[in-house]
Amino acid sequence: GESVGLHLPTLSVQEGDNSIINCAYSNSASDYFIWYKQESGKGPQFIIDIRSNMDKRQGQRVTVLLNKTVKHLSLQIAATQPGDSAVYFCADVSNFGNEKLTFGTGTRLTIIP
Amino acid sequence: GAVVSQHPSRVICKSGTSVKIECRSLDFQATTMFWYRQFPKQSLMLMATSNEGSKATYEQGVEKDKFLINHASLTLSTLTVTSAHPEDSSFYICSAPRTSGGFETQYFGPGTRLLVL
């Protein structure tokens, strides 16, 4: 079946450096993508989203890039801080209005002080 | 602040008992809510869609008689794990879609840790 997946299960980054977390999706009908951050023992926290009519969107210290040609999504976190250590999930909605999310496997980001 | 709450945050129960988990949307109404289960070091797996005023729709492989869902109001959905067994021990998370600025975003609750002894 079609799924949303991540390239790397773990990522370690020095504090202050930038980090990039990647996500590949296979459903060409996906038109809405979301990045979530999940800290240990907590529910996922919305970070940023992007719709298929965009290829870049920026938030506070975060940028999401969407490449529909190769079905690739990335989350860039600038000037990482210890509080950024968490598991990051990408999720997609294949039919906007359907509301059902398909989650990737997650990437554990560890910020090294 | 939080837009979706869950109660309880954690529960320990004996095998064979039933456990009810509540999911509430705060300051907004949700005709649809979602229930997920997450095992350690794994991703979230959608269990079912809770529909206000109608029956929940379950994902393939999820037993509807074991995981009872009731969407009692526009701000409350409950998940009851009936006759819980140790293999039901997991992290249960709900979500609710909230529309802002014409766009819809799913917000998640803080999760409920269930341990069945």
Side-chain angles (χ1 to χ4, degrees), chain A residues 80-96:
Chain A
T80 53
Q81 304 168 357
D84 294 330
S85 294
V87 177
Y88 291 81
F89 294 97
C90 66
D92 82 297
V93 178
S94 61
N95 181 14
F96 190 67

Side-chain angles (χ1 to χ4, degrees), chain A residues 19 32-33 43 63 73 77 86 88 90 92 94-95 97:
Chain A
S19 68
Y32 177 51
F33 305 87
T63 300
L73 191 71
I77 305 174
Y88 291 81
C90 66
D92 82 297
S94 61
N95 181 14

Side-chain angles (χ1 to χ4, degrees), chain A residues 1-7 22-33 66-73 90-94 102-105:
Chain A
E2 295 182 332
S3 63
V4 177
L6 294 176
H7 291 308
N22 296 304
C23 178
Y25 66 95
S26 57
N27 186 354
S28 57
S30 296
D31 57 6
Y32 177 51
F33 305 87
L66 174 62
N67 186 329
K68 295 181 288 293
T69 302
V70 295
K71 299 188 182 69
H72 184 269
L73 191 71
C90 66
D92 82 297
V93 178
S94 61
T102 300
F103 278 86
T105 53

Side-chain angles (χ1 to χ4, degrees), chain A residues 30-33 50-56 66 68, chain B residues 103:
Chain A
S30 296
D31 57 6
Y32 177 51
F33 305 87
I50 189 168
R51 283 158 179 81
S52 59
N53 62 349
M54 305 168 67
D55 53 21
K56 180 178 181 180
L66 174 62
K68 295 181 288 293
Chain B
F103 295 108

Side-chain angles (χ1 to χ4, degrees), chain B:
Chain B
V3 296
V4 176
S5 69
Q6 280 184 243
H7 177 81
S9 59
R10 59 182 62 193
V11 57
I12 301 173
C13 69
K14 293 182 179 180
S15 184
T17 60
S18 295
V19 175
K20 180 186 285 188
I21 303 170
E22 293 184 348
C23 177
R24 295 182 184 271
S25 57
L26 307 176
D27 299 327
F28 72 100
Q29 296 179 334
T31 56
T32 303
M33 293 183 179
F34 299 90
W35 286 97
Y36 296 82
R37 181 167 52 184
Q38 185 179 32
F39 292 107
K41 299 184 179 180
Q42 294 187 21
S43 187
L44 284 76
M45 295 299 296
L46 179 65
M47 298 174 66
T49 302
S50 175
N51 304 300
E52 191 271 334
S54 63
K55 293 181 180 179
T57 53
Y58 291 81
E59 296 300 302
Q60 190 174 8
V62 178
E63 300 176 59
K64 62 179 182 180
D65 293 330
K66 180 168 184 63
F67 299 99
L68 301 178
I69 291 174
N70 182 26
H71 202 130
S73 74
L74 289 171
T75 60
L76 173 64
S77 173
T78 60
L79 168 69
T80 301
V81 183
T82 62
S83 186
H85 292 284
E87 57 266 30
D88 298 323
S89 298
S90 188
F91 194 48
Y92 292 86
I93 309 170
C94 70
S95 74
R98 182 181 186 183
T99 301
S100 178
F103 295 108
E104 191 173 87
T105 302
Q106 288 279 354
Y107 287 92
F108 287 81
T112 297
R113 177 79 59 192
L114 171 63
L115 176 61
V116 184
L117 302 177

